[in-house]
């Protein structure tokens, strides 16, 4: 757009003396390009240049996407461990026989169990917490080493504390784990008894006197199983145990630093692996007892026994009917021989 041009004229007496005289009273001395002021004030706009292109999303959306990616990366290992554990829990358990018991008490069982560690659902469930707390211990050890080596400013404190609070709270943690495992094992026993009661009522089909007693035993067993499935251990107790364990292992490297230094890393690893294993196996997995019980195999066994008893009952009835028929046919005979006098009688 072309800018308007305004010409400014000055009187002749303001012109330079060397200039030639002109009959005109005004002399043109210079021409300026002046932009007229707008009638309304305009708004000032500023544009901040950045390395992002015009088509890229704003920084807020990119930061949120980066946060989501970080969260997904951190959740990858726990999600994988949970998926493997759930698949293993859905596998059907088998009943033990003589060969299985021999393998179970074999002297080579320790080596066999060690080689199969990576396929254990308990160990897979321990991977996320053990890795997390071992990483925290490594970070705390690195920080304390940097403070001791004066790689950080002097106002950074050394993370250490007295072990007296741990000595006082260790019995409380032990009691929490003991009560948790005891409650879970009692649920396991109740589930085993309830399943056995229901199956016994079905298996005792030929021995129980009446149908009412059979159905009452069966419904009693089903009621016990439904209560165990619908009512877990009080959730407040489960949360308290979990929080206690987490806080215990988060502060464990700080407590052990003065006595162990860098040994806090393997010490935290061993402590987390052992205590979380107790809490996971005896506190969580057997809280729902039915995946631990070979109920499918027991049901198949009971079904086969019932089918066998029905087949035997049919066979016995057939034999009784055959004997009755033979006895009716031989009612006029003695020891299977016809009476000659009867045969000689005229019709």
């Amino acid at each position: 757009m072309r800018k308007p041009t305004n010409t400014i004229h000055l009187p002749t007496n303001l012109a330079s003396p060397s200039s030639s005289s002109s009959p005109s009273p005004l002399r043109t001395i210079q021409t300026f390009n002046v932009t007229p002021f707008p009638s309304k004030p305009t708004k000032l706009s500023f544009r901040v240049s950045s390395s992002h292109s015009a088509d890229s999303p704003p920084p807020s959306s990119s930061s949120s996407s980066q946060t989501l990616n970080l969260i997904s990366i951190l959740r990858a290992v726990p999600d994988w461990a949970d998926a493997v554990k759930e698949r293993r829990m859905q596998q059907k358990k088998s009943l033990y026989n003589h060969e299985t018991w021999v393998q179970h008490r074999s002297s080579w069982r320790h080596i066999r169990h060690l080689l199969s560690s990576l396929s254990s659902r308990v160990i897979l469930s321990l991977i996320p917490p053990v890795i997390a707390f071992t990483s925290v211990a490594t970070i705390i050890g690195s920080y304390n080493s940097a403070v001791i080596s004066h790689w950080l400013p002097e106002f950074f404190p050394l993370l250490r504390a007295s072990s007296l609070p741990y000595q006082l709270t260790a019995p409380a943690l032990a009691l929490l784990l003991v009560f948790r495992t005891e409650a879970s094992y009692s649920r396991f026993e109740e589930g085993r008894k309830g399943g056995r009661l229901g199956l016994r009522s079905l298996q005792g089909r030929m021995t129980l006197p009446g149908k009412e007693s059979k159905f009452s035993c069966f419904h009693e067993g089903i009621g016990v199983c439904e209560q165990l499935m619908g009512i877990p251990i009080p959730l407040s107790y489960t949360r308290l145990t979990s929080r206690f364990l987490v806080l215990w292992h988060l502060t464990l490297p700080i407590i052990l630093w003065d006595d162990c230094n860098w040994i806090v890393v393997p010490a935290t690893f061993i402590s987390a692996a052992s205590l979380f294993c107790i809490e996971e196996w005896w506190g969580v997995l057997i809280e729902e007892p039915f995946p631990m019980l070979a109920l499918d195999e027991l049901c198949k066994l009971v079904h086969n026994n019932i089918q066998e008893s029905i087949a035997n009952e049919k066979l016995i009835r057939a034999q009784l009917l055959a004997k009755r028929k033979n006895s009716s046919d031989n009612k006029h005979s003695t020891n299977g021989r016809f009476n000659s006098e009867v045969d000689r009688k005229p019709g």
Side-chain angles (χ1 to χ4, degrees), residues 13-246:
N13 55 0
L14 296 179
S16 60
S18 60
S19 60
S20 59
S21 61
S22 174
S24 174
L26 298 177
R27 177 179 291 181
T28 302
I29 60 172
Q30 196 172 359
T31 302
F32 298 94
N33 293 328
V34 180
T35 303
F37 292 100
S39 60
K40 295 182 180 180
T42 58
K43 294 182 180 180
L44 297 178
S45 62
F46 298 92
R47 179 177 296 177
V48 180
S49 61
S50 62
S51 58
H52 299 281
S53 61
D55 298 333
S56 62
S60 59
S61 61
S62 62
S63 61
S64 61
S65 62
Q66 292 176 359
T67 304
L68 292 176
N69 291 332
L70 180 60
I71 293 175
S72 62
I73 291 172
L74 293 177
R75 292 189 59 179
V77 175
D79 291 343
W80 168 76
D82 291 340
V84 175
K85 181 175 66 175
E86 292 299 326
R87 287 199 301 268
R88 297 291 174 82
M89 291 185 69
Q90 293 176 1
Q91 293 179 356
K92 296 181 179 180
K93 303 297 185 296
S94 59
L95 295 174
Y96 270 37
N97 51 23
H98 177 70
E99 290 78 10
T100 313
W101 281 111
V102 169
Q103 186 181 7
H104 178 71
R105 57 176 176 261
S106 174
S107 301
W108 293 94
R109 65 183 182 275
H110 304 290
I111 298 176
R112 185 177 68 251
H113 296 164
L114 181 62
L115 295 177
S116 61
S117 298
L118 296 178
S119 61
S120 173
R121 63 174 178 268
V122 178
I123 294 179
L124 290 175
S125 63
L126 294 179
I127 289 177
V130 170
I131 289 178
F133 294 120
T134 307
S135 302
V136 171
T138 305
I139 293 172
I140 292 176
S142 302
Y143 171 81
N144 287 339
S145 298
V147 171
I148 293 173
S149 302
H150 302 288
W151 292 348
L152 295 175
E154 296 181 356
F155 59 84
F156 281 93
L158 185 66
L159 297 179
R160 60 183 179 181
S162 174
S163 61
L164 182 60
Y166 266 49
Q167 297 175 7
L168 296 176
T169 56
L173 178 61
L175 288 176
L176 281 175
L177 291 177
V178 168
F179 291 154
R180 180 84 165 91
T181 56
E182 183 67 23
S184 297
Y185 189 74
S186 64
R187 288 173 58 86
F188 178 80
E189 283 294 320
E190 290 179 3
R192 187 174 63 85
K193 292 178 181 179
R196 185 176 61 182
L197 182 62
L199 294 176
R200 182 182 296 178
S201 64
L202 294 177
Q203 195 172 7
R205 176 177 177 274
M206 300 295 296
T207 59
L208 292 177
K211 293 183 179 180
E212 294 182 358
S213 59
K214 291 185 291 184
F215 280 110
S216 64
C217 291
F218 179 74
H219 285 293
E220 183 179 357
I222 294 298
V224 172
C225 295
E226 287 180 349
Q227 289 181 1
L228 291 176
M229 282 296 297
I231 305 175
I233 294 176
L235 298 179
S236 58
Y237 189 80
T238 303
R239 297 190 189 103
L240 177 61
T241 307
S242 178
R243 291 164 184 165
F244 205 129
L245 282 173
V246 170

Side-chain angles (χ1 to χ4, degrees), residues 206-310:
M206 300 295 296
T207 59
L208 292 177
K211 293 183 179 180
E212 294 182 358
S213 59
K214 291 185 291 184
F215 280 110
S216 64
C217 291
F218 179 74
H219 285 293
E220 183 179 357
I222 294 298
V224 172
C225 295
E226 287 180 349
Q227 289 181 1
L228 291 176
M229 282 296 297
I231 305 175
I233 294 176
L235 298 179
S236 58
Y237 189 80
T238 303
R239 297 190 189 103
L240 177 61
T241 307
S242 178
R243 291 164 184 165
F244 205 129
L245 282 173
V246 170
L247 294 177
W248 176 279
H249 288 92
L250 283 178
T251 55
L252 183 62
I254 301 175
I255 300 296
L256 298 179
W257 178 256
D258 286 338
D259 298 329
C260 301
N261 290 336
W262 272 102
I263 303 179
V264 296
V265 177
T268 304
F269 176 83
I270 295 172
S271 177
S274 58
L275 294 182
F276 276 95
C277 180
I278 295 173
E279 196 267 341
E280 179 70 23
W281 173 247
W282 290 103
V284 176
L285 289 182
I286 66 173
E287 183 180 1
E288 184 186 356
F290 303 109
M292 303 290 107
L293 301 174
L295 295 179
D296 293 331
E297 294 294 329
L298 287 175
C299 291
K300 289 181 181 179
L301 181 61
V302 170
H303 180 266
N304 294 333
N305 291 336
I306 292 175
Q307 294 295 329
E308 184 179 358
S309 64
I310 292 174

